[in-house]
Amino acid sequence: MDITKKREDMEEINHFSHKRHPLKLVNVETILGANFDSHGGGGGGEEKEKLGVIEVDAIKEQGRIKIKHEGYPQHTLSLKLRPNAVLCDACKAKDEGLFYECDSCDFWIHKTCASLSTTIHLPNHHNHPLTLVYSFPKKFLKFAYYCEFCGIYIRWNDWLYHCANCRYFAHIKCALTAEQPSIQRDGPSTSTVVEDENGLLHFPMSDEFTDLLKLQHHEKMTQDDDDEKTVIEHRHWSHEHPLILHVQPQPKPNSMSDCSDPIQVCQGCVRPLSLPYYTCKHGCSFTLHKYCIEIPLKLQHPLHPDHSLALINTRGHDNYYRCNGCESFCNTFVYKCETCEFNLDVNCAFLPKTIKHKSHNHPLIQVIDPDLICKACTKWFKGIIYACKACSFTLDLYCAMRSPHSLVHRYCKGHEIPLTYPPVMDHPEDFFCDICEEEMHPKFPLYYCHKYKNSFHLHCINRLKRYANVFHEGTLNVPYHRHPLTYVRRKKTPKYVCSNCNQDINGCLILECQSRVCTFNICFECDYNKVMGP
C-alpha cells in the first residue's frame, strides 16, 4: 500500500473513546504554536523533539488542573488541548489557539487572554500606565465611552485596559496591538483638500463673535487704503440716502473712554462697527461696513448647489428669517433662495470652507448633514458642521467657532476661564457644571477653572445666542415694566447680566431702562418670550 495515501486516510479518524466528533491528526508544533528553534538555539532534531515532548507534557498537566480566573470567578475553567476558533469572551475575537472553557457554562477565553499583564505602558498613546479590568467600571456607567483606538462603543462586559484618572478606555486587543504601525489613534485624512494649515483660520479664537467676514477681507482692505481716502460718497441699494465713507475714528463728545458706551453695529452683518465703514449722509443712524457694501448680490454656495442665492435686506419685515447655517434669527442682510426657502445670513455665507481646530489633528471641512452629531456636545445640529469624515470627527458651528479659548465669568473673579480639552490633569473625581449643576462628561471639552475648580458646560457659560443677528433700535413701552426701554448693546463687567434670566448679556442686544431710578435690563430673548410666549 502507498504509505502517503495511508497517512492521508488517517489524518481524520473516528475513535470509540470519543464518539461525538472525529479526531484530526495534527503536528505538535501546531498545538503549541511555538517556534522550536527559538528554544533550542539551533540545536539538533533530537533536542527539538525532546523539548517538544516536555512542552506537550506541561500543557497536558495544565489541562488536568482546574483554575479560577479573576475575570470569571463564578466557575472553574479547564484548558482545552486542541486549538480552536471559538469566540473569546475576553477579546471578542475568533483567533485560533488554545482555550480555557468554563466547566459549568458557555464561557471561553484564549489561553493568552487568561494570562494578560495587569498593567501595560503605551507611552506613544497615553502618559499614564493602563490597568486591566474585566468589565466596565460601574462608576463610569452614567456616560457612553468609546475605545481610544477603534472608536467602538465600550460595553459593560468588555475586558479593558484603562486609566481611571483620564477616563481612557481601550479594548485589550486594541491596546496590545497599539504599537503596530497599522494602528493609529487619528488615521490619515482622506480629504481632497490640501492640508496646508498655514492658510487656514485656527480655532478656537479669542472672541466668540470674531468678525470672520472682516478677517477674510483684511488683506484686500489693506491694499485699498490709499483708494479709500479718495472715496467720499456711495449709493447702496439697501438705503435711500447717499452714504459717506469713514476711514478715521470719529471724535467722541468727551475724551474719556467708557467701557459701558453703547456698541455700534453694522446694519448688514450685525457685528461691531469697525473702520472703514459708511454712514448716512443725511444723518440717519444707518451704518454699513465697507466690505458689507461690496458683497455680491448673487451667490452660488456649495451648501445649496442647486440654486443661486439672492441678497436681500429684511429690515422692516414683520417676520424674522431663520438662517440655515447657524439656526439663528436675522432681520438684516440675508442670502435667500426663493425656490427652496434656504437662507444664509451674510456671516454664515462667507464662513471659511476649511478650518483647523485645536481639538483635532486634521483640517475640518464645512458641511450641512443632519445625520451627524457634534463630538463636543453630542447634540444633533441641523446647520453648518465642520467635519473630518476620515476620522468621523464633527463639530457644530457653535462648538467649532463660537466657543472662545477663554471667557470671563462672575463665578471666577479676576481671571479668565480657559476652554479645556480632555484629559484634565489633577481634576476632581467628577465634574459638575456650576451653572446647571448636572454632572459633565469628562471626555468632552469644558470650561474649567483650575484655581477655583469650577466647571462649566460650553452651552451653559456661553449660551446659544439665537438672536445675535437681529438688529433693533429706538425706545418702546412694554407691558412688563413701568418705564420705557431702549434697545442697546453694551460691553461691561462680567456681572452685567439680564434682570430676568441672570445670564451674561455683554455685547448682546438688550432692552435697557435708562431711568435714573431704575437699573432694569432684559435680553432680547427674554423680551421676545415675554411678549410672544416661549
Side-chain angles (χ1 to χ4, degrees), residues 332-364:
T332 55
F333 285 9
V334 63
Y335 281 99
K336 181 176 178 62
C337 175
E338 297 291 347
T339 305
C340 306
E341 296 191 2
F342 180 89
N343 306 312
L344 280 180
D345 67 60
V346 292
N347 299 291
C348 289
F350 295 99
L351 289 176
K353 302 302 181 286
T354 308
I355 65 169
K356 185 68 180 68
H357 199 275
K358 182 180 178 182
S359 61
H360 193 66
N361 290 341
H362 306 138
L364 306 178

Coordinates of all heavy atoms in Angstrom, one line a residue, residues 332-364:
T332 N -31.7 91.5 9.0 CA -30.9 92.4 8.2 C -30.6 91.8 6.8 O -31.5 91.3 6.1 CB -29.7 92.9 8.9 OG1 -28.9 91.7 9.3 CG2 -30.1 93.7 10.2
F333 N -29.3 91.8 6.4 CA -28.9 91.2 5.2 C -29.0 89.6 5.3 O -28.5 89.0 6.2 CB -27.5 91.6 4.8 CG -27.4 93.0 4.3 CD1 -28.4 93.9 4.4 CD2 -26.2 93.4 3.8 CE1 -28.3 95.2 3.9 CE2 -26.1 94.7 3.3 CZ -27.1 95.6 3.4
V334 N -29.5 89.0 4.2 CA -29.6 87.5 4.2 C -29.6 87.1 2.7 O -30.2 87.8 1.9 CB -30.9 87.0 4.9 CG1 -32.1 87.5 4.2 CG2 -30.9 85.5 5.0
Y335 N -28.9 86.0 2.5 CA -28.9 85.4 1.1 C -30.1 84.4 1.1 O -30.1 83.5 2.0 CB -27.6 84.7 0.8 CG -26.5 85.7 0.4 CD1 -25.6 86.1 1.3 CD2 -26.5 86.1 -0.9 CE1 -24.6 87.0 0.9 CE2 -25.5 87.0 -1.4 CZ -24.6 87.4 -0.5 OH -23.6 88.3 -0.9
K336 N -31.0 84.5 0.2 CA -32.2 83.8 0.2 C -32.4 83.1 -1.1 O -32.2 83.6 -2.2 CB -33.4 84.7 0.4 CG -34.8 84.0 0.5 CD -35.9 85.0 0.8 CE -37.2 84.3 0.9 NZ -37.3 83.3 1.9
C337 N -32.9 81.8 -1.1 CA -33.3 81.0 -2.2 C -34.8 81.0 -2.2 O -35.4 80.4 -1.3 CB -32.8 79.6 -2.2 SG -33.4 78.6 -3.5
E338 N -35.4 81.7 -3.2 CA -36.9 81.8 -3.2 C -37.5 80.4 -3.5 O -38.6 80.2 -3.1 CB -37.3 82.8 -4.3 CG -36.8 84.2 -4.1 CD -37.5 84.9 -2.9 OE1 -38.5 84.3 -2.4 OE2 -37.1 85.9 -2.4
T339 N -36.8 79.6 -4.2 CA -37.4 78.3 -4.6 C -37.5 77.3 -3.4 O -38.5 76.7 -3.2 CB -36.5 77.6 -5.7 OG1 -36.4 78.5 -6.8 CG2 -37.2 76.3 -6.1
C340 N -36.4 77.3 -2.6 CA -36.3 76.3 -1.5 C -36.5 76.9 -0.1 O -36.5 76.2 0.9 CB -35.0 75.6 -1.6 SG -34.6 74.8 -3.2
E341 N -36.6 78.2 -0.1 CA -36.6 78.9 1.2 C -35.4 78.5 2.1 O -35.5 78.3 3.3 CB -37.9 78.6 2.0 CG -39.2 79.1 1.3 CD -40.4 79.0 2.2 OE1 -40.3 78.6 3.3 OE2 -41.5 79.4 1.7
F342 N -34.3 78.5 1.4 CA -33.0 78.3 2.1 C -32.4 79.6 2.3 O -32.2 80.5 1.4 CB -32.1 77.4 1.2 CG -30.7 77.1 1.7 CD1 -30.5 76.0 2.5 CD2 -29.7 78.0 1.5 CE1 -29.3 75.8 3.1 CE2 -28.4 77.7 2.0 CZ -28.2 76.6 2.8
N343 N -32.0 79.9 3.6 CA -31.5 81.2 3.9 C -30.1 81.1 4.6 O -29.8 80.2 5.4 CB -32.4 81.9 4.9 CG -33.8 82.0 4.4 OD1 -34.0 82.4 3.3 ND2 -34.8 81.6 5.2
L344 N -29.2 82.0 4.2 CA -27.9 82.2 4.9 C -27.7 83.6 5.2 O -27.8 84.5 4.3 CB -26.8 81.7 4.0 CG -26.5 80.2 3.9 CD1 -25.3 79.9 3.0 CD2 -26.2 79.5 5.2
D345 N -27.5 83.9 6.5 CA -27.1 85.3 6.9 C -25.7 85.5 6.3 O -25.0 84.6 6.0 CB -27.2 85.6 8.4 CG -26.1 84.8 9.2 OD1 -24.9 85.0 8.9 OD2 -26.5 84.0 10.1
V346 N -25.3 86.8 6.1 CA -24.1 87.1 5.4 C -22.9 86.6 6.2 O -21.8 86.3 5.6 CB -23.9 88.6 5.2 CG1 -25.0 89.1 4.2 CG2 -24.0 89.4 6.5
N347 N -22.9 86.4 7.5 CA -21.8 85.9 8.2 C -21.6 84.4 7.9 O -20.5 83.9 7.7 CB -22.0 86.0 9.7 CG -22.2 87.5 10.1 OD1 -21.2 88.2 10.1 ND2 -23.4 87.9 10.5
C348 N -22.7 83.6 7.8 CA -22.6 82.2 7.5 C -22.2 82.0 6.0 O -21.6 81.0 5.7 CB -23.9 81.5 7.9 SG -24.1 81.3 9.7
A349 N -22.7 82.9 5.2 CA -22.5 82.8 3.8 C -21.0 82.8 3.4 O -20.6 82.2 2.4 CB -23.2 83.8 3.0
F350 N -20.2 83.5 4.2 CA -18.8 83.7 3.9 C -17.9 83.0 4.9 O -16.7 83.4 5.1 CB -18.4 85.2 3.7 CG -19.1 85.8 2.6 CD1 -20.3 86.5 2.8 CD2 -18.7 85.6 1.3 CE1 -21.0 87.1 1.7 CE2 -19.3 86.2 0.2 CZ -20.5 86.9 0.4
L351 N -18.4 82.0 5.7 CA -17.5 81.3 6.6 C -16.5 80.5 5.8 O -16.8 80.1 4.6 CB -18.4 80.3 7.4 CG -19.3 80.9 8.5 CD1 -20.1 79.7 9.1 CD2 -18.5 81.6 9.5
P352 N -15.3 80.3 6.3 CA -14.3 79.5 5.6 C -14.8 78.1 5.3 O -15.4 77.5 6.2 CB -13.1 79.6 6.5 CG -13.6 79.9 7.9 CD -14.8 80.7 7.7
K353 N -14.4 77.6 4.2 CA -14.8 76.2 3.8 C -14.0 75.2 4.6 O -14.5 74.1 4.8 CB -14.7 76.0 2.3 CG -15.4 77.0 1.4 CD -16.9 76.9 1.7 CE -17.7 77.9 0.9 NZ -17.5 79.3 1.3
T354 N -12.8 75.5 5.0 CA -12.0 74.6 5.7 C -11.3 75.3 6.9 O -10.9 76.5 6.7 CB -10.9 73.9 4.9 OG1 -11.5 73.4 3.7 CG2 -10.1 72.8 5.6
I355 N -11.3 74.7 8.1 CA -10.6 75.3 9.2 C -9.7 74.3 9.9 O -9.8 73.1 9.6 CB -11.7 75.9 10.2 CG1 -12.5 74.7 10.8 CG2 -12.6 76.9 9.6 CD1 -13.4 75.1 12.0
K356 N -9.0 74.8 10.8 CA -8.2 73.9 11.7 C -8.6 74.2 13.1 O -8.7 75.3 13.6 CB -6.7 74.3 11.6 CG -5.8 73.3 12.4 CD -5.8 71.9 11.8 CE -4.9 71.0 12.6 NZ -5.4 70.7 13.9
H357 N -8.9 73.1 13.9 CA -9.4 73.3 15.2 C -8.4 72.5 16.2 O -7.9 71.5 15.9 CB -10.8 72.7 15.4 CG -11.5 73.2 16.6 ND1 -11.4 72.7 17.8 CD2 -12.3 74.3 16.8 CE1 -12.1 73.3 18.7 NE2 -12.7 74.3 18.1
K358 N -8.3 73.1 17.4 CA -7.3 72.6 18.4 C -7.7 71.2 18.8 O -6.8 70.4 19.2 CB -7.3 73.5 19.6 CG -6.3 73.1 20.7 CD -6.4 74.1 21.8 CE -5.5 73.7 23.0 NZ -5.5 74.6 24.1
S359 N -8.9 70.8 18.7 CA -9.4 69.5 19.2 C -9.2 68.4 18.3 O -9.4 67.2 18.7 CB -10.9 69.6 19.6 OG -11.6 69.9 18.4
H360 N -8.6 68.6 17.1 CA -8.5 67.6 16.1 C -7.2 67.8 15.3 O -6.8 68.9 15.0 CB -9.7 67.4 15.2 CG -9.7 66.2 14.4 ND1 -9.9 64.9 15.0 CD2 -9.6 66.0 13.1 CE1 -9.9 64.0 14.0 NE2 -9.7 64.6 12.8
N361 N -6.6 66.7 14.9 CA -5.3 66.7 14.2 C -5.4 67.1 12.7 O -4.4 67.5 12.1 CB -4.6 65.3 14.3 CG -4.1 65.0 15.7 OD1 -4.0 65.9 16.5 ND2 -3.9 63.8 15.9
H362 N -6.6 67.0 12.1 CA -6.7 67.2 10.7 C -7.6 68.4 10.5 O -8.4 68.8 11.3 CB -7.3 66.0 10.0 CG -6.6 64.7 10.2 ND1 -7.2 63.5 10.5 CD2 -5.3 64.5 10.3 CE1 -6.3 62.6 10.7 NE2 -5.1 63.1 10.6
P363 N -7.5 69.1 9.3 CA -8.4 70.1 8.9 C -9.9 69.6 8.9 O -10.1 68.5 8.6 CB -8.0 70.6 7.5 CG -6.5 70.2 7.5 CD -6.4 68.9 8.3
L364 N -10.8 70.5 9.2 CA -12.2 70.2 9.2 C -12.9 70.9 8.0 O -12.7 72.1 7.8 CB -12.9 70.6 10.5 CG -12.2 70.0 11.8 CD1 -12.9 70.5 13.0 CD2 -12.2 68.5 11.7

